[in-house]
Amino acid sequence: MEGADVEVLRGTLIALAVVLTGRAVIAWAQEAVARRCSAAVKSSLRLRLLRHVALNLPDLQDGRASGEVAALATRGLDSLDAYFGRYLPQVALAVIVPIVVLACLATSDAVATITVALTLPIIPFFMALIGSYTVRRRQRRWEALARLSGHFLDVVAGLATLRIFGRAEAQLGRLERVTDDYRRESMATLRIAFLSAFALEMAATLSVAMVAVGVGLRLVDGLMALQTGLFVLILAPEAYLPLRQLGASYHASEEGLEAAGRVFAIIERAEPGGEDPDQTASASTATSQPGALLAAGVEPGPGGEIRIVGVTVRQPGRGIWAPFEASLTLRPGEIAGLAGPSGVGKSTLIDVLLGLRTPDAGSVELVDAGGTHVPVASFNRASWHRQVAWVPQHPYCFPGTLADNVRLGAPDATDSEVREALRTVGMAELDLEAPIGEGGTGLSSGQRRRLGVARALLKPARILILDEPTAGLDTESEATVLAAVRTAARSRGQAVLLVAHRPAALQIADCVVTIESRTEVTE
Amino acid sequence: MIDASSRTRESHGATALWRVALVGRPVFARMVLAVAAGVAAAGAAIGLTATSAWLISRAAEQPPVLYLMVAITAVRAFGISRGALRYSERLASHDAAFRVLARLRSLAYARLEKLAPTGLAAFRSGDLLARLVEDVDGLADLWLRVLIPYFTAGAVATVAVAGIWLLVPGASLALGGSLLFVGFVVPIFTIKVAHNADRRISGARGQLAAETLEVLGGAPELLVAGATEARLAGLAEIDRRLTAAESRTAAGTGLGALLAGLAGGAAIWLSLVSGIAALRAGTIDGVVLAVVALTPIAVHEAMSGLASASQHLPGLAAMAERLLDVMSTRDPVEEPASPDPLPIGPYGLRTRGLRARYTSAGPDALVLPDVDLQPATRMLVTGPSGSGKSTFAAVLVRFIEPSAGSVELVGSNGTEDLRRLAGNDVRRIVCLCAQDPHIFDTSIAENVRLARPSSTDAELLVALEAAQLSTWIDSLPQGIATMVGEHGVRLSGGQRQRLSLARALLADAPVIVFDEPTEHLDETMAQSLVHDLIEATAGRTVVMITHRPELAGSIAWSARVELGVGAAVSG
């Protein structure tokens, strides 16, 4: 080498510069591509999640707050970046790199190739062995660790209580003790967890050392050229590296995997109608109807009454049946009043009627002109919803104009129809183009309720369901709204279900049914 | 304008981080230990590469094997110690971080303890409080993920550059320059790029979040109205824009890796070139050239952790700022420098022109007509929400300072303004059963006993009996040792209030304030609870605060106050 001419080396040095630059560019490309993939996957998961929740309303079933789903769909999924940016590329590297390195080694030295090939499997073997051991150890300690780490939050949350009893200062010593316990427990766990990295590093080092000893001996004996020796020695550790890094990058991606897991848990939760998640994904491109997600059912035929028979719904977490065996009949042109103290299940009964919730007992049936009973549950949900107009207890106002909000259920309604609907609920003075902000800002709570009624009146439906439409309204507005409801029943022949607390509201009802709840009997 | 404000924010973040970093001082020795182990581990790794390079090149010259023995031993020692040192470094740094965590928690707790609950009113929601606690815990990462790796890398870099300087000064300049670049320029650049990318994405991200909330919040209505599909299509359009923006910024995020890779490559290449020049000049031999050429690879590998270390900085700075914001809140109550001794009981209360507010500029949250409450009598305070009922309770236990007027503790030997007494003394006399008493994640016995840790089991049972909890506790298989779960989830609303009452009875407070004890309870349960509370507190001075006065109808009150929003009416 001492005699090497610079001219001879120039080519090699240029090649080295190119390779080094190339390596940096590839590192950049890896990250950029990973980001793009991650963005695409996040988008797909997000849309599937939102579509599923918006169409199947799983939160009605288990009380999952929509805020939580929203957080999961936005920030939660961002933690997938580490999974795509680090873990997945590392998996590919762990498979490809050892093979490539072996292939390169094979071109120059058979002994080193065989040594590496024989020692490589030790790494995954060790990983699996130590991994399963530490996981078992960790799980056993997990509960203790979780309790210790939660202690600080518990104490801070209870500070007022502690101060009342003069215990806040004394708790400082206990806090220090518990944190110290937490440290010792955690360190005990970490000593074992880090052991796996230690063992892997030792295994890799020893394997490289075996290769190096062979190379060194053959160099001393003059059986190998220096170039080959250096080549083998620099390349050999690269075969082990990606496998060792796999463990570390898996750790970084766990959070993202958990978020993805939660998304799938929501998407794949079995629905009463039996939804196929794949169908949802393909539906996002097609112009399918939401009803297709429920069992493609019967079209509701023109009919007479809607009979609610013995509907009972168990309220998970409250230990009661609410409603318990509720029965009532809705007839065209008539107003049925629904009464009962709060928490008795009036809104739940409406959910059942709307097909948003499956009762634990009882049924809702449509009795057509011929006297045939058809359970509402067997209808195609979208077609059923076309027959129903609903004013929920707190009508939701979407940002946009007032007219857009009124048109929610009747997008083709003309401006004069919208104005007429607003007039019947006593809101004629408002501008159709008035902007409405997030959460209905710009409207008073009474106006929001009346907007909900106007919205329902505009929709050409044969059933009108109103959940406390006059709560919080002054007497005059209440009278206007009730008159509009009466007109809907008498002149338009709608079958009306009116939930109300106040006697004034229930006075317009043709019949009033009081429903009740019942405490669950547990053994 | 925007730039200037964002620059001040950055400097705020840096100041906050610096102040938090100082918390680690008592653990300094352990930090040094962790850094030393880290330096030794990196040194072993670099030494392994350097001696291997020397060994191989020297072996190729075919000297007698004996000449190689020292190097062979060194390679072995480096190889084995590398793993062991790395292991001890990780343990030492985690141990140090956990010890700092303990310091952080103690410091934060000592401060929060003075602020709670009035100074922490902004953290009333469980989520925000949990985030505050997470901030405290998360800041331990400042040492584990930033400070220790940076100091380790700095020491390793210095030693390596100095070592190469002795062999080929030109190569050491290349190495040093590239290390400075990777250690400082690349992280700053990366943070800037990430910040810019965030700014470009945040618009679309905000829109998506808002629309997501709309679609989910109005989901049932949209579904019944048949408008879900149209709304989802709009959402998909916003999502498409966000995804496009994210893809556009993707190229920027990898630039840090590109720069670090180029710097490392340049160091290797320049070392090699200057090594070859030195070789031709005859200052080194071929064996040293191998060392000079290969060492930079190992050194740059040891620096690869710095990229992720710097990524933690913006998040940590935000945590530090949030935490310091809370910690620098003024004490809601001023303790007297030399508090007066408590008067002797029995105790009554007297208020004169009492008003209180949460911020000095804000409106009065409480305006109370003058009240004289004789010892062992009961007072009823009613009023709608927002009339200052809970504020009154807070004034009585010295959680908030009156803005005008006074509350006096009337004893048999004199009367003392609460402000002249030590807060802890006041709370020994006046006990508050709060609207939502905190139940700790421990047993029933521990939860009640915190009121008086020295109490015997018998005293405990008497208190539980008086709070009408005995029948229920007897039905539990583990009795008073039953764990109540996080925030007392295994208790009903009524049981929590009774537990709170048992605490007050065990503390044996002569004056007990009940703040909305019947909240979240139905009519029948509320009736029986109020009845039991009054019965159990016979002979004590009681202030009952409720917005459901009908529950208290049959009870003889010696004083009644009806609070109004912004004004009060005495009755």
Side-chain angles (χ1 to χ4, degrees):
Chain A
M1 200 163 187
E2 245 149 297
D5 194 1
V6 184
E7 288 306 312
V8 179
L9 285 177
R10 172 169 293 167
T12 319
L13 283 175
I14 291 172
L16 177 64
V18 171
V19 168
L20 290 170
T21 314
R23 195 175 72 149
V25 170
I26 288 170
W28 164 74
Q30 182 195 325
E31 195 143 350
V33 171
R35 281 284 165 145
R36 281 173 162 268
C37 289
S38 170
V41 173
K42 281 189 294 182
S43 156
S44 147
L45 272 180
R46 183 157 48 219
L47 291 179
R48 278 181 67 181
L49 170 69
L50 294 177
R51 160 169 291 273
H52 178 88
V53 174
L55 291 177
N56 294 299
L57 309 175
D59 38 336
L60 280 180
Q61 305 288 337
D62 64 359
R64 184 186 300 276
S66 61
E68 197 188 323
V69 175
L72 180 61
T74 49
R75 285 193 313 278
L77 284 178
D78 280 342
S79 50
L80 271 177
D81 283 344
Y83 178 74
F84 286 98
R86 289 200 239 157
Y87 181 65
L88 273 191
Q90 199 62 42
V91 171
L93 287 178
V95 174
I96 297 168
V97 170
I99 295 171
V100 173
V101 169
L102 277 177
C104 290
L105 284 177
T107 61
S108 42
D109 185 42
V111 182
T113 314
I114 292 167
T115 320
V116 173
L118 286 180
T119 50
L120 255 182
I122 294 177
I123 305 261
F125 177 72
F126 257 54
M127 259 192 324
L129 198 71
I130 299 169
S132 69
Y133 173 68
T134 53
V135 163
R136 257 183 293 130
R137 286 290 301 248
R138 248 189 307 196
Q139 273 167 352
R140 242 181 297 158
R141 288 176 178 275
W142 191 243
E143 205 172 316
L145 273 184
R147 209 186 55 238
L148 290 174
S149 73
H151 174 261
F152 184 42
L153 178 58
D154 197 26
V155 168
V156 172
L159 258 176
T161 303
L162 290 171
R163 287 196 77 191
I164 287 168
F165 295 103
R167 302 295 306 155
E169 284 157 48
Q171 275 292 319
L172 186 58
R174 188 167 143 66
L175 177 69
E176 277 166 3
R177 264 204 319 283
V178 169
T179 308
D180 209 47
D181 287 346
Y182 177 54
R183 176 181 62 81
R184 258 181 283 119
E185 281 287 325
S186 302
M187 289 306 294
T189 314
L190 289 178
R191 263 194 283 279
I192 292 164
F194 292 159
L195 210 57
S196 67
F198 174 60
L200 291 180
E201 189 155 353
M202 286 306 282
T205 308
L206 290 178
S207 306
V208 175
M210 278 170 71
V211 175
V213 168
V215 169
L217 287 178
R218 278 179 290 156
L219 280 172
V220 173
D221 293 344
L223 297 173
M224 188 185 240
L226 174 61
Q227 267 189 352
T228 319
L230 280 175
F231 179 75
V232 169
L233 216 61
I234 293 174
L235 215 51
E238 297 295 325
Y240 303 95
L241 191 64
L243 278 172
R244 279 166 47 205
Q245 287 174 339
L246 189 60
S249 53
Y250 176 74
H251 193 67
S253 68
E254 272 175 321
E255 196 184 332
L257 283 178
E258 200 213 302
R262 279 166 60 204
V263 171
F264 283 117
I266 296 176
I267 292 179
E268 283 164 5
R269 190 174 306 144
E271 285 299 317
E275 183 216 346
D276 175 11
D278 288 328
Q279 196 187 333
T280 335
S282 61
S284 63
T285 49
T287 53
S288 74
Q289 304 167 337
L293 297 170
L294 263 191
V298 198
E299 287 285 324
E305 308 168 355
I306 292 109
R307 287 205 186 139
I308 298 173
V309 189
V311 166
T312 299
V313 179
R314 191 173 159 265
Q315 301 287 349
R318 283 172 58 199
I320 56 168
W321 307 94
F324 181 76
E325 296 188 347
S327 297
L328 77 126
T329 303
L330 306 180
R331 294 187 184 84
E334 284 190 18
I335 302 173
L338 191 57
S342 65
V344 81
K346 297 191 294 291
S347 297
T348 308
L349 185 62
I350 291 178
D351 286 344
V352 172
L353 182 55
L354 290 170
L356 303 180
R357 189 159 183 159
T358 315
D360 293 281
S363 65
V364 180
E365 292 167 353
L366 192 71
V367 185
D368 67 16
T372 334
H373 292 236
V374 188
V376 165
S378 70
F379 290 145
N380 171 306
R381 190 151 79 177
S383 336
W384 174 238
H385 284 162
R386 274 197 290 276
Q387 317 265 339
V388 183
W390 168 46
V391 184
Q393 227 177 78
H394 302 282
Y396 199 91
C397 298
F398 297 90
T401 65
L402 178 64
D404 288 344
N405 267 289
V406 180
R407 275 200 191 96
L408 187 72
D412 301 327
T414 63
D415 275 0
S416 61
E417 284 167 329
V418 172
R419 221 169 268 125
E420 172 61 19
L422 283 170
R423 193 192 57 73
T424 52
V425 297
M427 289 186 14
E429 74 284 2
L430 290 184
D431 179 10
L432 285 192
E433 297 308 311
I436 291 174
E438 227 170 277
T441 43
L443 295 179
S444 72
S445 70
Q447 283 176 325
R448 260 175 257 162
R449 232 174 264 266
R450 285 185 283 159
L451 165 64
V453 178
R455 192 186 266 171
L457 290 176
L458 188 62
K459 183 174 174 179
R462 69 178 193 197
I463 303 158
L464 178 61
I465 302 170
L466 305 110
D467 197 349
E468 305 266 11
T470 60
L473 294 190
D474 57 69
T475 325
E476 194 185 331
S477 305
E478 180 175 34
T480 315
V481 168
L482 290 178
V485 171
R486 199 171 9 218
T487 313
R490 302 288 182 262
S491 324
R492 298 168 61 186
Q494 286 183 308
V496 178
L497 176 63
L498 176 64
V499 175
H501 257 123
R502 294 201 219 173
L506 288 173
Q507 265 168 19
I508 68 160
D510 297 297
C511 63
V512 176
V513 175
T514 306
I515 61 169
E516 37 191 47
S517 62
R518 183 155 302 182
T519 311
E520 245 177 81
V521 184
T522 47
E523 65 277 24
Chain B
M1 194 62 193
I2 289 160
D3 256 345
S5 79
S6 87
R7 201 169 305 132
T8 19
R9 255 236 310 284
E10 269 167 40
S11 79
H12 270 308
T15 320
L17 275 182
W18 172 244
R19 287 179 58 191
V20 171
L22 291 179
V23 172
R25 271 176 306 183
V27 195
F28 188 68
R30 285 175 188 277
M31 306 262 179
V32 172
L33 197 71
V35 170
V39 172
I46 296 165
L48 184 65
T49 306
T51 37
S52 304
W54 186 87
L55 186 63
I56 294 291
S57 318
R58 186 78 182 96
E61 293 172 352
Q62 301 187 5
V65 177
L66 213 59
Y67 283 31
L68 299 177
M69 280 322 283
V70 175
I72 290 173
T73 316
V75 167
R76 263 194 220 133
F78 282 140
I80 293 171
S81 62
R82 181 178 70 165
L85 285 166
R86 176 84 59 224
Y87 182 70
S88 7
E89 181 234 343
R90 295 174 82 180
L91 284 186
S93 60
H94 278 82
D95 185 65
F98 276 118
R99 283 171 199 274
V100 175
L101 173 70
R103 289 267 310 154
L104 276 170
R105 282 183 171 184
S106 310
L107 286 177
Y109 181 83
R111 185 74 201 112
L112 297 179
E113 188 257 307
K114 294 275 176 290
L115 295 176
T118 313
L120 295 178
F123 296 88
R124 196 161 295 156
S125 107
D127 282 354
L128 286 175
L129 192 68
R131 196 181 75 171
L132 176 71
V133 165
E134 268 170 31
D135 282 351
V136 174
D137 285 2
L139 277 170
D141 272 355
L142 176 61
W143 289 270
L144 186 63
R145 312 239 175 263
V146 180
L147 293 178
I148 294 178
Y150 250 89
F151 279 110
T152 308
V156 170
T158 313
V159 172
V161 169
I164 299 287
W165 174 267
L166 295 177
L167 301 173
V168 181
S172 82
L173 287 182
L175 181 60
S178 71
L179 289 175
L180 285 177
F181 188 77
V182 171
F184 295 101
V185 179
V186 173
I188 292 171
F189 177 80
T190 314
I191 291 172
K192 278 258 185 288
V193 166
H195 182 71
N196 286 344
D198 267 355
R199 226 178 25 204
R200 285 173 61 183
I201 296 173
S202 64
R205 195 189 292 257
Q207 269 185 353
L208 183 80
E211 181 62 16
T212 301
L213 275 176
E214 300 295 342
V215 170
L216 295 181
E221 271 188 278
L222 288 171
L223 190 61
V224 174
T228 307
E229 281 301 325
R231 213 64 202 203
L232 282 174
L235 195 62
E237 172 58 25
I238 299 174
D239 178 83
R240 204 188 50 70
R241 283 210 302 277
L242 173 64
T243 308
E246 278 184 329
S247 297
R248 274 201 304 278
T249 57
T253 52
L255 282 177
L258 176 69
L259 290 179
L262 287 178
I268 294 165
W269 196 82
L270 288 171
S271 301
L272 191 61
V273 168
S274 52
I276 291 171
L279 184 71
R280 276 161 50 81
T283 44
I284 58 167
D285 61 16
V287 175
V288 175
L289 176 61
V291 175
V292 171
L294 290 182
T295 306
I297 302 181
V299 179
H300 270 279
E301 214 175 274
M303 301 293 138
S304 59
L306 293 188
S308 67
S310 61
Q311 276 168 13
H312 285 102
L313 272 177
L316 287 171
M319 286 184 189
E321 274 181 77
R322 286 199 293 263
L323 184 62
L324 290 179
D325 265 358
V326 178
M327 306 268 284
S328 58
T329 312
R330 222 163 47 87
D331 278 2
V333 172
E334 205 179 315
E335 289 279 326
S338 52
D340 288 350
L342 279 170
I344 298 168
Y347 300 102
L349 290 170
R350 184 160 79 193
T351 73
R352 288 293 174 266
L354 183 65
R355 285 163 185 260
R357 50 178 64 172
Y358 284 92
T359 52
S360 53
D364 284 327
L366 166 72
V367 179
L368 191 79
D370 294 351
V371 175
D372 283 289
L373 186 61
Q374 299 305 316
T377 61
R378 308 188 190 99
M379 166 180 179
L380 180 69
V381 182
T382 58
S385 65
S387 58
K389 299 190 301 297
S390 293
T391 311
F392 180 45
V395 170
L396 290 178
V397 292
R398 293 289 287 149
F399 279 173
I400 185 172
E401 199 84 63
S403 57
S406 64
V407 183
E408 290 158 342
L409 190 63
V410 184
S412 58
N413 64 335
T415 296
E416 279 288 349
D417 189 326
L418 290 190
R419 272 173 298 192
R420 305 266 326 125
L421 298 168
N424 280 337
D425 285 347
V426 171
R427 289 185 285 272
R428 279 224 309 276
I429 303 302
V430 185
C431 185
L432 170 64
C433 288
Q435 198 175 130
D436 189 12
H438 187 81
I439 309 293
F440 293 90
D441 183 7
T442 174
S443 65
I444 295 172
E446 289 294 308
N447 259 300
V448 177
R449 187 169 273 142
L450 72 90
R452 188 150 61 88
S454 59
S455 58
T456 63
D457 272 5
E459 290 170 311
L460 195 68
L461 290 174
V462 168
L464 289 167
E465 169 81 54
Q468 303 285 332
L469 279 169
S470 299
T471 323
W472 168 63
I473 288 173
D474 288 345
S475 75
L476 297 170
Q478 302 189 357
I480 55 170
T482 305
M483 301 296 282
V484 296
E486 210 174 316
H487 295 280
V489 283
R490 284 172 218 143
L491 305 185
S492 73
Q495 285 163 346
R496 300 158 68 92
Q497 284 296 341
R498 288 171 193 275
L499 200 73
S500 175
L501 168 66
R503 280 174 179 163
L505 295 176
L506 187 66
D508 206 16
V511 183
I512 300 183
V513 182
F514 292 103
D515 186 8
E516 299 281 11
T518 57
E519 196 72 355
H520 314 304
L521 298 186
D522 67 36
E523 204 85 356
T524 355
M525 292 205 28
Q527 287 285 9
S528 76
L529 179 73
V530 169
H531 174 264
D532 292 345
L533 293 185
I534 293 302
E535 187 146 298
T537 53
R540 295 170 206 262
T541 310
V542 172
V543 178
M544 171 78 72
I545 295 173
T546 178
H547 72 280
R548 292 161 80 174
E550 72 276 8
L551 295 172
S554 62
I555 295 154
W557 304 100
S558 67
R560 272 169 179 267
V561 173
E562 191 181 338
L563 296 172
V565 182
V569 196
S570 186

